[in-house]
Amino acid sequence: MSLDADALALEPPDAPLVAFGLPSIRGLAFGAGLFLLALLLQPAVPSRTSRTLRLVLFPLVACLAFATPFRWRFEPFDLAIPANFRWAIFAPYGVLKALEWGTMGDRARTKELAWVGFDGREEERARDVVDKVRGATVTQATHEDATEASTTAVSTSNGLEVPDPGARKRSPNGLPAPTPIRPVAVVPPALDTPPLPTEASHLPTPSPSPPFDAVNPPSISSLPLRPTSSISPLAAQQRSLQSTTQRHHPLSALSDAAHLLSSLRGIGYTWGPPLRTLARPAPDERAFVRRAAREFVRAHVVSTACVALQVLERDGELAPLLARRLPFLSPAAAQLVAATLSRLGIGASLHAQMNIGAEGVSLALYGLHCATNAVLALVGGDCVKWRSRFDVREYPPLFDRPFLAMGKGGLAGFWGHRWHALFRDVFTSVGYRPVTRLVRKAGLPKKAGQFAAVVVVFALSGWMHWQALVAARYGLAPRASTLAFAASHHLPSSSLYPAPYSTLSFVERHGTWVFFLVQPVAVTLENVWLKATGRRIGGWPGRAWVALCVVVFGQATVGKSWLALGLVHGLPPVRLWSWHRWLLPVLSLAPMPLFMRTA
């Protein structure tokens, strides 16, 4: 990753600067491989066939995901480190997801991937029974629709599930609990009573909602609950066969696989985070659109401002600007403030850019939902719809006030509840659970296993971010065409390329690892405090503690490292930004000469 001056000889001095280009469509090939794995997890695929094909396929998908950000990148790649870093962050995720799905056993396939929808009772059940289920084993998988309406499983903080036949219907937001969205039978059911649980009903990943409301009647889970003793065996068998036929339909399997692949947080699935750990979703579609649009615009403003600050600091312009605006600052103090502001902007800008992506995708999916129904209405009138409504409960905010409520729950609450849960499942499946099992089999204390597992989880997170920067810097070297372009526009070479890797300090090289590996130690100290005092750190002391571990320590390690490794190099100086960089989301990250004033 060092800057090799010999690379200048590889291209003629008058070579034109490479034009801007998006990654090749081949860069999405590992996504197609993940889709095949998700498809093989569907109940329509026989168990032995699924297991064999997944074991054969997942190493290929993992290798392809690993190689993707090295082979297919934004161009010119030596000026696109910011864009390529964000593009490459999903490659390690693809590696871990391929490993998780490829090695998943039949038990996990049947139970952990079950779609349970939203019945609003998770919070109440967790409070009532959490003490009773510690040390218990996972109960039977999700039953048929009406059975789940009366006995629905709850996932507790330690991953266990128990039935709760007597919970009241109440949503976690205090709103009336909506009917769970469950798959519907292709053939209208001949009976109006729920079926008895049968072995055929233990199926993973049912559809999140009916695909065509006019063809498929409402889910039987919405029918009035009847005593199961009044159902004849023949009626139960017919209902079970109808549901099984629907879930084994090829179109249903494709739809379920696509939904499973696109649901990064697993909201509505048994493997997803408990609803109580997520931010509150909007109460209706109109509120959802307003909130998502407002957050999208706010995040764009924050992201663009932070990137501008970092570019000003990179070019040595921020400290003089502060000295002019704040005459009481000495030159040394102005330099320190400028460096600190730019490093603090790393976390704020990444937080904002992730919100741009999450809210942008949510709004795009909502627009696609409305457009699809509009087209179908033109074709078939009101008798055909894709989905009767857009379920906003699947799209709560990505973050739950991580900075405003920073002290609530301490550091464990920050990472477990406040921060996004995009990679929670792969970290748990690939890191936490295997390590705890291994330590338990080795006969070591339970606390030791938990600490080792948390260390592995944070190490996986550190690897994801470190690997993304490695891929973004891969092959980085000054090119004659780039240097000629910079000279013709009077751009300093320090704006194009970061310092060589060999000249960086230890923290500048390895700040990512330092930050993420200190977090489990800090969480352990919180647990020691909890055991000694009987209460978790919170209030202003908790806010100060989390701010010290995340904000202060983060800017001194990972912020310093990412800037030194070139996170904003290749972007033009702020004085040369065109209006596109200021007004269009994330285009402030586009490399030179795109959206750059050259006059």
Side-chain angles (χ1 to χ4, degrees):
M1 295 192 301
S2 62
L3 299 180
D4 187 2
D6 294 337
L8 295 174
L10 298 180
E11 73 178 348
D14 58 346
L17 185 66
V18 177
F20 173 78
L22 295 172
S24 169
I25 191 66
R26 290 175 292 178
L28 301 177
F30 79 92
L34 289 176
F35 175 76
L36 290 177
L37 289 174
L39 188 61
L40 291 172
L41 289 169
Q42 299 307 308
V45 182
S47 176
R48 179 174 298 180
T49 302
S50 171
R51 184 168 59 251
T52 302
L53 292 180
R54 285 186 288 112
L55 288 175
V56 171
L57 183 61
F58 95 83
L60 303 178
V61 178
C63 291
L64 184 59
F66 181 85
T68 289
F70 295 92
R71 294 286 304 276
W72 300 287
R73 294 182 282 183
F74 289 88
E75 292 290 349
F77 77 88
D78 59 330
L79 299 180
I81 297 177
N84 284 322
F85 167 75
R86 289 152 180 85
W87 158 253
I89 197 69
F90 287 97
Y93 170 78
V95 174
L96 296 177
K97 203 66 179 177
L99 178 61
E100 177 197 359
W101 284 352
T103 60
M104 181 174 287
D106 292 335
R107 183 181 181 88
R109 176 193 174 200
T110 303
K111 297 185 178 182
E112 293 182 13
L113 297 184
W115 172 267
V116 295
F118 312 91
D119 59 15
R121 295 182 290 176
E122 292 82 357
E123 305 284 345
E124 185 171 323
R125 289 198 303 271
R127 285 194 300 267
D128 293 340
V129 303
V130 66
D131 293 332
K132 300 179 182 179
V133 300
R134 297 188 184 276
T137 57
V138 178
T139 61
Q140 205 174 33
T142 306
H143 292 313
E144 202 54 33
D145 295 340
T147 302
E148 187 177 2
S150 60
T151 58
T152 308
V154 56
S155 296
T156 64
S157 59
N158 56 358
L160 305 178
E161 301 175 353
V162 294
D164 176 41
R168 299 190 306 272
K169 280 198 172 183
R170 182 176 62 84
S171 72
N173 302 328
L175 301 173
T179 301
I181 295 182
R182 299 287 304 186
V184 298
V186 173
V187 181
L191 303 171
D192 60 353
T193 54
L196 287 170
T198 63
E199 196 63 31
S201 68
H202 297 189
L203 301 171
T205 59
S207 173
S209 61
F212 289 96
D213 294 339
V215 177
N216 296 335
S219 171
I220 56 175
S221 64
S222 62
L223 298 176
L225 184 63
R226 303 286 182 84
T228 56
S229 59
S230 64
I231 307 175
S232 67
L234 178 60
Q237 184 180 11
Q238 290 176 344
R239 182 63 58 80
S240 178
L241 290 175
Q242 291 167 355
S243 180
T244 301
T245 301
Q246 186 266 338
R247 297 181 186 182
H248 283 70
H249 193 279
L251 292 180
S252 178
L254 291 172
S255 176
D256 294 346
H259 189 269
L260 177 62
L261 178 62
S262 63
S263 183
L264 270 67
R265 289 187 284 178
I267 299 174
Y269 289 92
T270 54
W271 57 267
L275 295 183
R276 66 181 180 278
T277 66
L278 300 173
R280 291 183 176 183
D284 52 50
E285 292 183 15
R286 188 170 297 179
F288 163 79
V289 173
R290 287 199 302 266
R291 180 198 60 75
R294 182 175 60 251
E295 180 59 29
F296 185 86
V297 173
R298 187 202 67 80
H300 163 64
V301 173
V302 172
S303 171
T304 304
C306 290
V307 172
L309 280 178
Q310 292 156 16
V311 171
L312 287 172
E313 167 60 14
R314 179 203 67 188
D315 296 336
E317 299 176 1
L318 184 56
L321 178 63
L322 291 175
R324 291 194 301 269
R325 299 292 183 180
L326 304 172
F328 58 86
L329 288 178
S330 65
Q335 186 63 46
L336 177 62
V337 172
T340 302
L341 285 177
S342 64
R343 295 197 294 261
L344 288 173
I346 292 290
S349 61
L350 290 180
H351 170 263
Q353 289 156 20
M354 293 184 72
N355 271 327
I356 291 175
E359 304 299 352
V361 169
S362 298
L363 289 172
L365 291 175
Y366 179 74
L368 180 63
H369 155 81
C370 295
T372 303
N373 275 338
V375 171
L376 291 176
L378 292 176
V379 175
D382 294 334
C383 62
V384 178
K385 287 185 178 181
W386 169 248
R387 299 173 72 175
S388 60
R389 65 189 180 91
F390 184 83
D391 198 333
V392 298
R393 295 168 297 180
E394 284 193 59
Y395 307 97
L398 187 60
F399 298 90
D400 186 11
R401 302 170 299 140
F403 303 115
L404 293 178
M406 183 176 290
K408 189 175 181 180
L411 192 61
F414 178 87
W415 291 118
H417 296 174
R418 303 293 169 194
W419 207 240
H420 70 82
L422 292 177
F423 309 130
R424 172 185 180 271
D425 177 56
V426 291
F427 290 163
T428 301
S429 301
V430 178
Y432 191 90
R433 290 175 185 166
V435 171
T436 52
R437 294 193 195 105
L438 183 63
V439 172
R440 185 170 62 250
K441 290 181 179 179
L444 298 177
K446 182 179 179 181
K447 294 292 184 182
Q450 292 175 342
F451 176 75
V454 173
V455 170
V456 170
V457 166
F458 277 102
L460 288 174
S461 182
W463 169 69
M464 290 183 68
H465 295 84
W466 175 83
Q467 182 69 19
L469 266 176
V470 169
R473 285 177 55 99
Y474 175 70
L476 189 65
R479 297 194 290 186
S481 58
T482 303
L483 295 178
F485 173 84
S488 64
H489 294 87
H490 308 287
L491 301 175
S493 60
S494 59
S495 297
L496 279 64
Y497 299 103
Y501 189 78
S502 58
T503 64
L504 302 180
S505 65
F506 176 84
V507 172
E508 289 173 333
R509 294 183 187 180
H510 309 295
T512 302
W513 293 105
V514 173
F515 174 77
F516 282 102
L517 292 180
V518 165
Q519 300 306 307
V521 177
V523 172
T524 302
L525 293 177
E526 276 191 0
N527 293 332
V528 172
W529 168 268
L530 175 63
K531 186 175 182 179
T533 63
R535 55 190 179 88
R536 186 172 292 279
I537 189 171
W540 284 106
R543 183 182 293 269
W545 165 250
V546 177
L548 176 65
C549 294
V550 176
V551 179
V552 178
F553 187 69
Q555 64 86 24
T557 54
V558 71
K560 183 176 182 179
S561 176
W562 289 4
L563 288 176
L565 291 173
L567 191 61
V568 294
H569 283 76
L571 301 180
V574 174
R575 66 180 183 277
L576 298 179
W577 284 17
S578 69
W579 64 268
H580 307 81
R581 293 184 180 272
W582 294 104
L583 297 184
L584 300 181
V586 305
L587 289 185
S588 59
L589 302 175
M592 292 186 277
L594 191 68
F595 302 137
M596 172 180 166
R597 291 188 294 105
T598 57

